[in-house]
């Protein structure tokens, strides 16, 4: 029996950061991961594989050059799976090795195997038991598999399996227009696959600002993606024909396709933890309930990352784990999780947002003024052939920035300017008084701020805009 200050179960996004945070401050830490390779969904099946595939697809299909040089959309669509997977394998190897190196240099004791609770301070892996004063559960999540799909067939994929696809399909149906579904729809459409997205709701990504959703829908339509909203699959049968997957919809309609990718949300990995032995129980889709410091009902056991559900991002999981560890050990550092976090959605084009949408601001009764700046009217935008835009939402009274929305190249990078401005209570004047590099897409902040100022200008004299 080995005793530790902290045991972390799960070596993905949250687990690595939690383990290293405690070890950095001198605690004796064990990290238990069931797979040989660290990284979890972040490195092996979710975040990095999907982003690497997207980048490779954009490169192989010369997607970025098409707008610039008027290339035909049908060019270079013969990307082969081995071309796609080469970079993916490389990125996965590098990132997993980085994580392994990080835990080694912080003297975190690595245990390989599947952990389950024996009691609230004891965890078992194989024949061995480990005890700790504190435990962090960071076991992540797996794709939820609705029972109507026969996942044992080669043509029926969930979002973990799709990163190991054997052949780029000519036709595919994606079930679910959430973030993962729309990201894969764009990626495969860029490779020349004819994609149909089936979604029970009447729109996609309803948490985004509606102007951004409209712009994304138009872009995805231009990519050739078909949406079937308010449509529910009731049955999926696989046969031996050329389009072997038959999807029956609630309406009675049937869609024949080569491959179906089911993106129906995620399920927390808690089933094999023997939670009752620790005095814990799982809620909806296996998730654990935590307080604002990420402690479960058993105060020396914390949980972070996908295992606690929303927002289920690698970015937030890492910070949740750091906050949980600082709280458990009473480190006077990183005591709270910021409520302000950005969303990055790697569609084509990419999207990012932070803070309020126009819709949520109005629901909260906030008087707003909105400034927009188009990348088409931006010098860097003209150079790279970018046509997206930046939209800033300010509080009309205080002029403070309360929300930012961006669609276009590097949107997920550009949004951090808004994030930091909001952290520091910046507003319209922050952007107008700042001198930006030229030519850059970031300069759009200044012109969106001028645009907002124009909207507020009651004297009718227009200030600079672009
Ligand atoms: C397709 C896709 C795209 C995504 N894109 C993004 C994105 O762009 N940005 C973003 O921020 N997030 C993204 N995410 C979400 C992100 O991947 C997850 O939020 C993140 O990986 C969760 O981190 P985690 O540490 O909670 O879980 P994981 O990273 O999954 O790690 C959990 C680890 O626990 C291990 N484990 C489970 N049970 C046990 C056990 N009993 N014993 C020992 N080990 C165990 C697992 O093997 C795994 O390694 C995406 C997800 C998917 C699926």
């Amino acid at each position: 029996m080995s005793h530790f200050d902290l045991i972390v179960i799960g070596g993905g996004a949250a687990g690595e950061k939690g383990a290293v945070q405690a070890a950095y401050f001198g605690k004796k830490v064990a990290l238990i991961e069931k797979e040989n390779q660290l990284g979890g969904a972040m490195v092996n099946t979710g975040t990095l594989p999907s982003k690497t595939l997207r980048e490779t697809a954009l490169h192989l299909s010369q997607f970025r050059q098409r707008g610039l040089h008027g290339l035909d959309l049908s060019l270079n669509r013969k990307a082969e799976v081995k071309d796609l997977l080469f970079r993916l394998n490389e990125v996965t190897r590098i990132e997993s090795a980085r994580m392994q190196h990080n835990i080694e240099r912080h003297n975190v004791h690595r245990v390989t195997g599947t952990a389950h609770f024996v009691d609230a301070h004891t965890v078992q892996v194989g024949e061995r038991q480990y005890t700790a004063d504190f435990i962090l559960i960071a076991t992540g999540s797996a794709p939820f598999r609705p029972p109507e799909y026969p996942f044992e067939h080669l043509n029926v994929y969930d979002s973990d399996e799709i990163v190991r696809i054997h052949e780029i399909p000519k036709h595919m149906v994606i079930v679910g227009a959430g973030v993962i579904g729309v990201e894969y729809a764009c990626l495969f459409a860029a490779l020349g696959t004819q994609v149909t997205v089936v979604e029970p709701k009447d729109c996609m990504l309803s948490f985004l600002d509606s102007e951004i959703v409209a712009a994304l829908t138009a872009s995805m339509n231009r990519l050739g993606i078909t949406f079937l909203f308010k449509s529910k699959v009731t049955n999926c049968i696989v046969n031996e024909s050329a389009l072997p997957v038959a999807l029956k919809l609630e309406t009675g309609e049937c869609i024949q396709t080569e491959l179906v990718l089911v993106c129906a949300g995620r399920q927390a990995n808690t089933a094999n933890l023997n939670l009752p032995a620790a005095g814990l129980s799982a809620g909806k889709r296996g998730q654990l309930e935590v307080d604002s410091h990420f402690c479960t009902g058993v105060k020396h056991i914390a949980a972070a990352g996908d295992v606690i559900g929303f927002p289920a991002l690698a970015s937030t999981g890492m910070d949740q784990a750091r906050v949980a560890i600082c709280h458990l050990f009473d480190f006077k550092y990183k005591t709270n999780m910021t409520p302000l976090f950005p969303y990055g959605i790697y569609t084509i084009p990419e999207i990012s947002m932070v803070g309020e949408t126009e819709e949520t601001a109005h629901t909260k009764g906030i008087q707003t003024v909105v400034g927009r700046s188009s990348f088409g009217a931006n010098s860097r935008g003209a150079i790279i052939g970018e046509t997206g835009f930046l939209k800033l939402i300010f509080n009309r009274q205080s002029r403070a920035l309360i929300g930012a929305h961006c669609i276009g190249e590097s949107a997920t990078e550009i949004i951090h300017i808004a994030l930091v401005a909001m952290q520091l209570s910046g507003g319209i004047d922050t952007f107008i008084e700042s001198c930006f590099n030229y030519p850059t897409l970031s300069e759009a902040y200044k012109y969106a701020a001028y645009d907002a100022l124009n909207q507020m200008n009651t004297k009718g004299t227009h200030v600079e805009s672009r």
Side-chain angles (χ1 to χ4, degrees), residues 9-15 32-35 37 39-42 45-47 50-51 113-115 138-141 159-160 180 183-184 266 269 272-273 304-307 312-315 344 346:
I9 310 177
I32 307 172
E33 167 55 52
K34 69 181 171 62
E35 304 294 337
Q37 185 156 297
M42 177 179 76
T45 52
T47 314
S50 61
K51 269 79 248 184
T114 303
T139 48
S141 65
S159 61
D160 276 7
I180 295 173
E183 284 189 359
Y184 276 119
R266 311 265 306 172
N269 293 328
N272 59 8
L273 283 174
D306 281 17
V307 77
L313 295 168
S315 54
Y346 295 79

Side-chain angles (χ1 to χ4, degrees), residues 188-421:
F188 280 102
L191 288 171
T193 304
Q194 219 177 305
V195 180
T196 302
V197 179
V198 180
E199 164 60 47
K201 293 192 193 138
D202 58 3
C203 73
M204 61 172 167
L205 309 174
S206 53
F207 63 96
L208 291 177
D209 192 275
S210 56
E211 239 175 284
I212 299 285
V213 176
L216 177 65
T217 308
S219 293
M220 289 178 70
N221 286 333
R222 279 197 297 277
L223 270 175
I225 297 167
T226 306
F227 288 100
L228 296 180
F229 289 120
K230 292 195 205 164
S231 299
K232 196 166 182 301
V233 175
T234 53
N235 193 13
C236 172
I237 294 169
V238 182
N239 55 39
E240 294 294 314
S241 63
L243 294 175
V245 183
L247 296 166
K248 194 153 182 225
L249 303 185
E250 215 167 33
T251 53
E253 197 187 333
C254 188
I255 311 174
Q256 295 284 144
T257 184
E258 194 179 327
L259 179 158
V260 61
L261 166 62
V262 183
C263 301
R266 311 265 306 172
Q267 166 110 22
N269 293 328
T270 49
N272 59 8
L273 283 174
N274 191 21
L275 291 174
L280 295 169
S281 60
K284 193 178 138 235
R285 287 207 178 176
Q287 290 166 9
L288 290 170
E289 223 174 276
V290 290
D291 64 16
S292 60
H293 293 110
F294 305 99
C295 288
T296 64
V298 178
K299 288 303 166 202
H300 68 276
I301 304 180
D306 281 17
V307 77
I308 64 166
F310 179 83
L313 295 168
S315 54
T316 48
M318 292 188 245
D319 260 10
Q320 289 167 353
R322 292 181 178 115
V323 169
I325 295 304
C326 290
H327 178 76
L328 288 178
F329 288 104
D330 200 22
F331 299 148
K332 303 296 177 212
Y333 171 75
K334 209 160 172 68
T335 48
N336 283 303
M337 179 77 191
T338 171
L340 204 61
F341 58 86
Y343 285 96
I345 304 177
Y346 295 79
T347 39
I348 301 173
E350 72 185 52
I351 287 174
S352 201
M353 70 162 277
V354 60
E356 306 289 349
T357 62
E358 259 194 285
E359 294 81 12
T360 59
H362 291 165
T363 309
K364 291 177 185 171
I366 305 170
Q367 296 266 304
T368 58
V369 59
V370 175
R372 295 175 184 79
S373 182
S374 157
F375 293 140
N378 167 293
S379 314
R380 184 62 174 267
I383 293 168
I384 63 172
E386 180 51 60
T387 57
F389 64 92
L390 175 72
K391 171 176 176 176
L392 300 181
I393 303 173
F394 299 96
N395 181 311
R396 189 174 272 273
Q397 269 85 44
S398 66
R399 297 156 74 110
L401 181 65
I402 59 167
H405 306 270
C406 189
I407 180 165
E409 185 71 30
S410 303
T412 55
E413 303 283 351
I414 289 166
I415 209 69
H416 293 128
I417 295 173
L419 174 73
V420 174

Side-chain angles (χ1 to χ4, degrees), residues 94-151:
I94 291 169
E95 189 57 14
S96 181
R98 182 206 58 73
M99 293 175 85
Q100 181 64 33
H101 176 66
N102 196 26
I103 67 158
E104 278 169 13
R105 90 191 160 94
H106 285 90
N107 294 319
V108 172
H109 179 71
R110 163 94 195 260
V111 179
T112 305
T114 303
H116 67 266
F117 284 100
V118 175
D119 62 44
H121 284 281
T122 312
V123 163
Q124 180 151 352
V125 181
E127 296 300 306
R128 291 203 63 174
Q129 295 195 347
Y130 303 85
T131 57
D133 297 339
F134 298 103
I135 296 174
L136 174 69
I137 303 174
T139 48
S141 65
F144 176 68
R145 289 181 153 202
E148 56 271 26
Y149 297 93
F151 286 97

